[in-house]
Amino acid sequence: MKGRKERNRNFPENPKMAGRNRIPRELYNDRRGFIVERPFIRGHPMPQPAFLEEELEMQHAEIRRLLGDNRRLIEDRMGLQQELGAAKEELHRMNIVIAEIRAEQDVLIKKGLKLEADLRVTEL
């Protein structure tokens, strides 16, 4: 096809990627080309009881640490909720005071306008 770059199907575009049913290059030993040994997933021997006990103890320690963290987070959350409640109450009180100040301001403005009108009437 014209305008299209033809690719050779025998060579992958990315040489690091393994082809279908092929072993990736990273698994080969650099010296002789043999596959590097790694632990088998299937057929491995059962772990020793000492290893299992150590693993269980590590899990218990992690659980205890997580429980402590959880308790601290609960205490922090409760404290923050109390602070939020207090802030909301203060905001509510401030809004009431603001409304009272605005109402007083309106009354004073009306009194001032009335005094101006009375002054104009007396000047005439």
Side-chain angles (χ1 to χ4, degrees):
M1 294 184 161
K2 290 184 179 179
R4 280 192 157 180
K5 181 181 175 184
E6 287 193 35
R7 60 179 210 188
N8 188 342
R9 293 183 186 257
N10 295 330
F11 297 104
E13 290 181 22
N14 187 350
K16 289 186 177 182
M17 294 179 59
R20 288 186 183 156
N21 301 323
R22 295 189 184 169
I23 300 172
R25 291 182 183 189
E26 293 85 30
L27 294 181
Y28 284 103
N29 186 338
D30 291 335
R31 292 180 292 148
R32 298 188 180 132
F34 294 112
I35 295 175
V36 176
E37 290 184 23
R38 58 183 186 180
F40 292 108
I41 296 174
R42 294 186 201 162
H44 65 281
M46 293 294 293
Q48 299 297 321
F51 173 77
L52 292 175
E53 288 176 10
E54 183 180 326
E55 182 73 21
L56 188 62
E57 183 58 37
M58 288 186 337
Q59 289 177 356
H60 280 242
E62 180 70 10
I63 289 170
R64 284 191 296 271
R65 186 189 66 77
L66 290 172
L67 283 172
D69 289 349
N70 194 24
R71 285 187 190 109
R72 283 188 291 280
L73 288 172
I74 288 171
E75 291 171 1
D76 290 347
R77 183 177 182 265
M78 288 173 46
L80 290 171
Q81 281 182 329
Q82 290 173 351
E83 289 179 22
L84 179 61
K88 284 182 177 181
E89 288 176 14
E90 185 177 350
L91 184 61
H92 179 69
R93 286 191 300 269
M94 290 174 69
N95 282 333
I96 290 172
V97 170
I98 289 171
E100 290 173 353
I101 292 172
R102 284 185 179 159
E104 187 178 324
Q105 184 181 15
D106 289 343
V107 169
L108 291 174
I109 289 173
K110 286 179 184 177
K111 281 185 181 179
L113 291 174
K114 185 177 179 186
L115 287 174
E116 278 185 28
D118 288 346
L119 183 61
R120 285 186 197 143
V121 169
T122 55
E123 288 179 352
L124 292 175

